[in-house]
């Protein structure tokens, strides 16, 4: 055999070995991603993986095209984008992956990869540096849904820590999943969190661990890295009854009322787990799942939580406002002087838009009830009055007007947040309503609306829209 033939054979062997190594690298990365969580440590390693084996992107491209599993295909597309970011501009990779947001809006892994790419494009922005920061929610909050519990809003932290309907609260609050979530705060990965929807992350409001250590309540927890809490949650978010008098398209396709068997199950859980927890809690949130004044369970619970039996407990009341009348307020003396925050979900600043997005609502009734809520605040009978505005295609043009409305009715805050797909939209429908996603036909107009100076009013809480409201030049 000639020297030339030896050289060709050697080169071919190197290519084969390189392809084998590329496939092995891909398999290893996919095994890491099999838990469905965010892995910022892997995102940071991808440049060195590609440098060591330049055939990884090409092998990923071929495998993605042939992969039948939708889940694995998304993971491969994500890895391909991260690989591309090491070879060219991260902006191109981000733009290529962004269309997946409409189908994977609650995929913490994909959202974490996009967060990583956004951080590469904006390295000076402190919101992308999570190491050394702490989110307090998993250490103090328990959200109770119908069939799951969470240590924060399920939209921001979807991993469940258990089911309180048949699991003791101690096991839900301090079980393996709960401790793993808290550990992810200490190691800086925040791997369970949807980083691109979390208001605390997006508005850079996480606490600095060093500063937090100066507070006696947190000093030992931080020093030991405690993931097992010695006391129960300080805040209980009760979102298990979806009963509501309206059928807003942002959260349901039709009206819902719990049947007798479901209410009996909720009553049993309340007696067995919820009421004991509320004995030591500081705040109870009612409700993120429906309307507290439409729910027989929540109405009964609010009546039970009087100041004699629960003297330290304060309420956060979330309502669509249609039933929040002077007569209803008078029927619940347990709330008087004990409402830390009254939050009315409005999603509009005008009657036609409100009645479109709040199916079954009547704007004249809302106007009267909003004025009543403002009067309660002015008289000192509640501590805070917030209107909330879920931003979507149908209402983004009214964001500035919502600030004016808040001032007229005497609200103390107006909260803006992105619409979430709770399973009520198909991917195509969500893409049509999620105006904040690049590629939406009205996205440029949305960006212009976010530059409205009224949105920089001190009463505005921009939450996960902070990058649009405050981040634009």
């Amino acid at each position: 055999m000639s020297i030339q033939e030896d050289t060709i054979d050697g080169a071919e062997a190197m290519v084969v070995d390189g392809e084998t190594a590329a496939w092995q690298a891909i398999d290893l990365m996919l095994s890491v991603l099999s838990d469905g969580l965010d892995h910022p440590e892997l995102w940071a390693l991808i440049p060195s993986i590609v440098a060591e084996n330049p055939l990884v992107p090409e092998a990923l491209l071929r495998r993605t095209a042939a992969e039948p599993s939708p889940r694995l295909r998304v993971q491969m597309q994500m890895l391909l984008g991260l690989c591309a970011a090491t070879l060219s501009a991260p902006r191109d990779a981000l733009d290529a992956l962004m269309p997946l947001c409409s189908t994977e809006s609650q995929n913490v892994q994909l959202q974490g990869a996009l967060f990583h790419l956004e951080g590469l494009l904006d390295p000076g922005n402190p919101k992308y540096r999570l190491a050394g920061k702490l989110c307090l929610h998993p250490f103090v909050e328990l959200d109770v849904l119908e069939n799951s519990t969470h240590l924060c809003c399920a939209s921001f932290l979807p991993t469940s820590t258990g089911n309180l309907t048949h699991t003791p609260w101690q096991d839900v609050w301090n079980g393996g999943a709960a401790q793993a979530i808290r550990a992810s705060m200490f190691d800086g990965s925040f791997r369970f969190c949807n980083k691109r929807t979390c208001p605390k992350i997006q508005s850079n409001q996480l606490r600095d661990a060093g500063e937090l250590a100066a507070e006696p309540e947190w000093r030992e927890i931080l020093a030991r890295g405690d993931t097992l809490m010695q006391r129960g949650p300080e805040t209980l978010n009760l979102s298990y009854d979806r009963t509501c008098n309206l059928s807003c398209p942002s959260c349901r396709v039709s009206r819902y009322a719990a049947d007798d068997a479901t209410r009996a199950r909720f009553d049993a859980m309340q007696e067995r787990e919820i009421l004991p927890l509320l004995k030591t809690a500081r705040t109870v949130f009612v409700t993120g799942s429906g309307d507290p004044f439409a729910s027989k369970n929540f109405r009964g619970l609010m009546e039970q939580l009087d100041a004699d039996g629960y003297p330290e407990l304060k309420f956060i009341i979330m309502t669509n406002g249609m039933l929040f009348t002077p007569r209803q307020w008078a029927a619940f003396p347990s709330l008087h002087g004990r409402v830390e925050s009254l939050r009315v979900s409005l999603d509009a600043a005008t009657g036609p838009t409100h009645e479109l997005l709040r199916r079954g609502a009547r704007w004249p009734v809302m106007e009267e009830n909003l004025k009543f809520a403002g009067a309660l605040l002015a008289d000192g009978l509640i501590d805070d009055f917030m209107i909330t505005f879920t931003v979507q295609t149908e209402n983004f043009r009214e964001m500035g007007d919502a600030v004016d409305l808040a001032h007229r009715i005497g609200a103390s805050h107006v909260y803006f947040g992105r619409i979430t797909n709770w399973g009520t939209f198909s991917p195509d429908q969500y893409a049509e309503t999620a105006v904040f996603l690049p590629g939406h036909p009205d996205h440029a107009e949305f960006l212009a609306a976010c530059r409205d100076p009224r949105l920089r009013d001190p009463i505005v809480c921009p939450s996960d829209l902070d990058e649009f409201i405050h981040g634009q030049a």
Side-chain angles (χ1 to χ4, degrees):
M1 183 178 292
S2 67
I3 295 176
Q4 185 178 10
E5 289 173 330
D6 286 342
T7 302
I8 292 172
D9 289 344
E12 289 176 345
M14 289 177 63
V15 170
V16 171
D17 289 342
E19 287 182 350
T20 300
W23 281 69
Q24 290 174 342
I26 293 168
D27 287 339
L28 181 59
M29 289 189 288
L30 290 174
S31 71
V32 172
L33 301 181
S34 62
D35 59 9
L37 302 177
D38 187 12
H39 285 279
E41 70 283 359
L42 176 57
W43 315 151
L45 282 174
I46 285 179
S48 61
I49 293 172
V50 174
E52 183 176 336
N53 193 329
L55 296 180
V56 165
E58 182 182 345
L60 260 174
L61 188 61
R62 292 201 305 271
R63 285 187 64 170
T64 302
E67 178 55 54
S69 165
R71 180 182 64 84
L72 287 174
R73 194 160 56 247
V74 167
Q75 290 178 331
M76 290 179 190
Q77 287 176 280
M78 182 175 63
L79 290 174
L80 192 58
L82 291 163
C83 289
T86 71
L87 303 173
S88 59
R91 168 56 61 188
D92 294 338
L94 186 62
D95 290 344
L97 289 176
M98 197 59 73
L100 291 173
C101 283
S102 61
T103 58
E104 304 289 334
S105 62
Q106 294 197 294
N107 182 332
V108 300
Q109 199 167 82
L110 173 69
Q111 298 298 328
L114 294 174
F115 183 83
H116 173 77
L117 289 172
E118 289 171 333
L120 295 179
L121 291 167
D122 191 9
N125 192 328
K127 81 175 184 181
Y128 296 108
R129 298 193 294 272
L130 300 182
K133 297 177 182 178
L134 200 72
C135 178
L136 305 189
H137 284 281
F139 298 86
V140 300
E141 179 179 329
L142 188 67
D143 290 18
V144 186
L145 278 62
E146 184 172 356
N147 296 304
S148 63
T149 56
H150 304 260
L151 301 188
C152 184
C153 173
S155 181
F156 314 142
L157 204 167
T159 296
S160 172
T161 61
N163 188 336
L164 206 60
T165 59
H166 53 65
T167 305
W169 73 261
Q170 295 90 341
D171 295 337
V172 168
W173 178 238
N174 274 324
Q179 294 198 54
I181 289 168
R182 295 180 189 123
S184 76
M185 306 290 153
F186 289 125
D187 67 24
S189 69
F190 289 68
R191 69 179 74 258
F192 294 87
C193 303
N194 191 330
K195 296 182 172 75
R196 297 184 70 254
T197 62
C198 170
K200 294 286 187 183
I201 292 176
Q202 286 297 315
S203 56
N204 192 33
Q205 292 182 347
L206 297 177
R207 297 291 301 274
D208 179 86
E211 294 177 2
L212 198 60
E215 300 179 15
E217 182 181 1
W218 291 96
R219 186 178 300 123
E220 291 187 7
I221 292 175
L222 288 164
R224 295 190 301 259
D226 285 346
T227 59
L228 191 150
M229 297 295 98
Q230 298 304 312
R231 56 158 290 162
E234 297 178 11
T235 297
L236 212 60
N237 183 338
L238 306 183
S239 295
Y240 45 86
D241 188 354
R242 296 182 293 112
T243 299
C244 191
N245 53 309
L246 302 183
S247 61
C248 307
S250 57
C251 67
R252 63 194 67 207
V253 296
S254 61
R255 289 191 185 185
Y256 172 82
D259 58 26
D260 290 344
T262 301
R263 290 200 302 270
R265 179 163 56 89
F266 291 158
D267 280 339
M269 179 179 65
Q270 287 172 181
E271 289 294 328
R272 186 181 65 251
E273 307 294 342
I274 300 296
L275 289 174
L277 277 170
L278 290 175
K279 283 292 185 180
T280 57
R282 297 176 184 175
T283 308
V284 58
F285 186 123
V286 191
T287 169
S289 57
D291 192 273
F293 301 103
S295 163
K296 292 182 179 179
N297 286 93
F298 288 142
R299 290 174 68 89
L301 185 67
M302 289 189 295
E303 289 173 350
Q304 285 182 269
L305 299 177
D306 57 68
D308 291 335
Y310 302 83
E312 304 300 321
L313 190 66
K314 300 279 279 186
F315 291 85
I316 297 175
I317 299 296
M318 182 76 170
T319 172
N320 59 52
M322 281 296 296
L323 300 177
F324 192 77
T325 63
R327 182 177 178 179
Q328 286 290 338
W329 175 255
F332 291 93
S334 59
L335 300 180
H336 298 182
R338 302 173 70 207
V339 175
E340 180 179 293
S341 181
L342 171 65
R343 302 175 184 180
V344 179
S345 53
L346 203 59
D347 294 357
T350 65
T353 303
H354 181 261
E355 292 178 3
L356 172 69
L357 297 178
R358 296 273 149 184
R359 288 185 301 230
R362 289 181 293 147
W363 185 246
V365 174
M366 278 303 307
E367 288 185 303
E368 291 302 312
N369 293 351
L370 290 170
K371 291 175 185 176
F372 172 62
L376 290 178
L377 178 66
D379 292 342
L381 298 176
I382 59 176
D383 298 338
D384 177 79
F385 168 32
M386 173 189 288
I387 62 173
T388 70
F389 193 107
T390 301
V391 175
Q392 50 202 287
T393 300
E394 293 81 2
N395 67 4
F396 74 90
R397 297 175 182 87
E398 298 184 12
M399 291 191 294
D401 294 337
V403 180
D404 292 339
L405 174 64
H407 283 296
R408 286 201 306 274
I409 63 177
S412 45
H413 297 93
V414 53
Y415 174 99
F416 294 99
R418 308 183 197 197
I419 191 169
T420 297
N421 189 359
W422 293 107
T424 53
F425 300 109
S426 70
D428 288 343
Q429 288 171 330
Y430 184 69
E432 290 174 5
T433 196
V435 67
F436 40 82
L437 292 180
H440 190 285
D442 295 328
H443 187 66
E445 189 179 354
F446 163 73
L447 294 178
C450 288
R451 290 193 289 270
D452 188 325
R454 290 176 292 180
L455 298 182
R456 287 154 185 79
D457 189 299
I459 72 169
V460 170
C461 302
S463 66
D464 58 2
L465 292 173
D466 186 78
E467 65 176 292
F468 304 110
I469 293 174
H470 293 132
Q472 296 187 82

